[in-house]
Structures are given as structure tokens and as C-alpha cells.
Amino acid sequence: MSLNRRTFLTVGAAAAAGIAASAAHALPVGKPEKWDSEFDIVIVGAGGAGLAAGSVAADLKLSAVVLE
């Protein structure tokens, strides 16, 4: 079986659609009664850049929180 560009893209698109259609389950989290935590860095968004920033903060021994 030869894998040409069209077949590769078709299979890749089908796999991506299957992953996107799968259900993600999140657990409900109650609202905190009091917010009294302090952090050196607050990162908004857990995308590639947000997680990389959290990793760098951990390497620099900084306290960080990632909010999604």
C-alpha cells in the first residue's frame, strides 16, 4: 500500500475528527468560600504557551497557577 499525500491527509482528517468528537468529561468544582492564595505568576489558558509558561515558572522555582 502506497501512502500518497491525499490518503495521508484524508486519514489524518478522519482521525482528528474522531478525536474532536470524543467526549471530554470534567468534574464539577464548587466555588471556593474564600480566595486567599497568592502566586508569583497567574497564567490564563492551558494551551501550549500556557503550559510552557507554567513549566518555565516551575524550573525557576516560582509559584504559579494555570487557569483554564
Side-chain angles (χ1 to χ4, degrees), residues 46-65:
L51 294 178
S55 175
V56 170
D59 290 343
L60 296 174
K61 306 285 191 270
L62 299 172
S63 63
V65 63

Side-chain angles (χ1 to χ4, degrees), residues 9-39:
L9 292 175
T10 303
V11 171
I19 291 170
S22 66
H25 301 285
L27 298 175
V29 177
K31 186 173 91 173
E33 294 178 18
K34 182 179 179 184
W35 182 268
D36 60 352
S37 298
E38 291 187 15
F39 300 96

Side-chain angles (χ1 to χ4, degrees), residues 1-20:
M1 176 181 151
S2 66
L3 185 64
N4 59 22
R5 182 176 177 205
R6 180 172 298 210
T7 305
F8 176 76
L9 292 175
T10 303
V11 171
I19 291 170

